[in-house]
Amino acid sequence: MTEPQEELPASAVRPYVITGGRAGAAREPLPWEALVVASGIPAPPTLQPEYRRILDCCRGLLSVAEVAAHLGQPPTVLQVLLHDLLEWGLLDARTPLRPDERAGRLDVLPGAVPGPGPAADSRPVDGGRGGATYVRPSVAGSAKILVVGPLGVGKTTLIGSVSEIEPLSTDAVMSELGAGVDTAGTPTKTTTTVALDFGRLTLDGELVLYLFGTPGQPRFLPVWQELARGALGALALVDTRDLEASFATIGQLEDLDVPFSIAVNDFPGSPRPEAEELRTALDILPHTPVVNCDARDRSSSVRALIALVSHLLAIRESS
């Protein structure tokens, strides 16, 4: 009698085997901030293990980005599997709110930002990392804001200070070769974001805001095209000790037509020029908000986000 075979870990199965040779989903991929949840329809007994892991993970609402991080699946593979589950009725999706809906709801931010502590469904994510919890069932939709800036400017720190969940980070220890290239202005930096960081903030129980931190090195700028798709706007962190390092970041935002505000992170001994001086030095439009913040402090970071949201609402009203 043949012994039952042990289920292989996901990492031991080649991606093209999992997807049946498909390199991508048959339709437009779900945005990273789209919310998915198992529909509750019983899965057939023949369903392959990778699909079952997704359904187990999605017993409550999660964004596509969170599912990818918790399961460790490559994004292209996950999109194929999610598409199949949606087609079969085993998964439901709540796509991000339309731009007019998202902008209209952001005016709750100044009065609705929760304090430190859980603002989510308290159930732990099945197979999740770091004690992760689900999004509240009452949430109707999601929106995305980018947190951008050069290497070592404090993006991961800011996201961590405001996120209601433990931020999911792709920081990696720098290699000797990478450190020689990337740390010219930040000699004490030993890790770097190699894909993205993201955190979550539930507003007024109905809208969940995802904060996506981008890699700081110029060679990762092409990654932004994917992350910027559908973003409401961006909070651009700068370090006044090295303003030149922010030029590429701001240029990329302008090229992608992403509205943004500037947050000057407070580093020990850093100069504190007036807002108008900074606008001139960075060559940005006169109406672009410039605020000071301490990325380590939740209240300070929230104020920077409120300045960005106020700017986005002003743009909406004037258009």
Side-chain angles (χ1 to χ4, degrees):
M1 183 175 175
T2 305
E3 292 292 326
Q5 291 188 335
E6 233 180 84
E7 186 178 305
L8 291 172
S11 59
V13 183
R14 296 192 178 213
Y16 69 82
V17 174
I18 297 173
T19 64
R22 292 169 293 171
R27 65 179 184 185
E28 186 73 17
L30 285 170
W32 285 107
E33 69 274 24
L35 301 173
V36 291
V37 63
S39 66
I41 296 175
T46 55
L47 193 68
Q48 70 188 56
E50 290 76 21
Y51 291 110
R52 291 190 178 277
R53 291 191 189 102
I54 293 174
L55 294 176
D56 286 343
C57 184
C58 295
R59 291 178 181 174
L61 278 174
L62 286 175
S63 67
V64 172
E66 287 170 290
V67 176
H70 293 317
L71 297 182
Q73 282 284 15
T76 51
V77 172
L78 180 67
Q79 289 284 359
V80 172
L81 302 183
L82 291 176
H83 175 263
D84 289 343
L85 291 171
L86 288 166
E87 288 289 309
W88 300 333
L90 298 176
L91 197 71
D92 294 329
R94 299 183 190 178
T95 53
L97 299 174
R98 297 191 312 270
D100 58 326
E101 293 177 316
R102 289 177 291 182
R105 291 194 182 197
L106 282 177
D107 58 6
V108 304
L109 181 58
V113 176
D121 181 340
S122 59
R123 292 175 298 152
V125 174
D126 193 313
R129 298 165 45 184
T133 55
Y134 292 109
V135 174
R136 288 180 183 175
S138 61
V139 166
S142 59
K144 173 171 62 178
I145 282 178
L146 303 182
V147 180
V148 304
L151 180 72
V153 78
K155 302 180 295 293
T156 302
T157 301
L158 184 141
I159 291 172
S161 73
V162 300
S163 178
E164 69 192 37
I165 59 171
E166 181 180 340
L168 297 170
S169 170
T170 57
D171 268 13
V173 177
M174 287 184 180
S175 66
E176 185 176 343
L177 180 60
V181 173
D182 290 331
T183 60
T186 52
T188 59
K189 182 82 169 163
T190 59
T191 62
T192 183
T193 299
V194 295
L196 56 88
D197 298 327
F198 67 94
R200 191 176 81 199
L201 192 61
T202 302
L203 308 178
D204 205 27
E206 295 183 356
L207 173 68
V208 63
L209 188 64
Y210 283 97
L211 305 175
F212 282 75
T214 61
Q217 299 93 320
R219 66 178 178 275
F220 286 115
L221 290 180
V223 176
W224 287 31
Q225 293 182 356
E226 177 66 27
L227 290 177
R229 187 177 300 142
L232 285 177
L235 184 66
L237 284 173
V238 303
D239 179 354
T240 56
R241 298 172 300 179
D242 186 11
L243 287 178
E244 188 176 346
S246 297
F247 292 170
T249 298
I250 292 171
Q252 182 78 345
L253 291 173
E254 292 171 339
D255 290 345
L256 294 172
D257 199 24
V258 176
F260 63 93
S261 68
I262 300 293
V264 181
N265 199 4
D266 185 18
F267 289 96
S270 58
R272 295 191 177 186
E274 295 295 326
E276 198 53 47
E277 290 180 74
L278 276 171
R279 290 190 185 95
T280 301
L282 296 171
D283 193 23
I284 55 178
L285 294 173
H287 64 267
T288 306
V290 175
V291 298
N292 294 312
C293 83
D294 182 343
R296 300 165 299 180
D297 179 74
R298 177 183 171 81
S299 297
S300 181
S301 297
V302 165
R303 284 195 296 272
L305 286 172
I306 289 172
L308 170 61
V309 167
S310 299
H311 179 51
L312 297 176
L313 292 173
I315 293 173
R316 175 175 176 258
E317 290 168 4
S318 63
S319 61

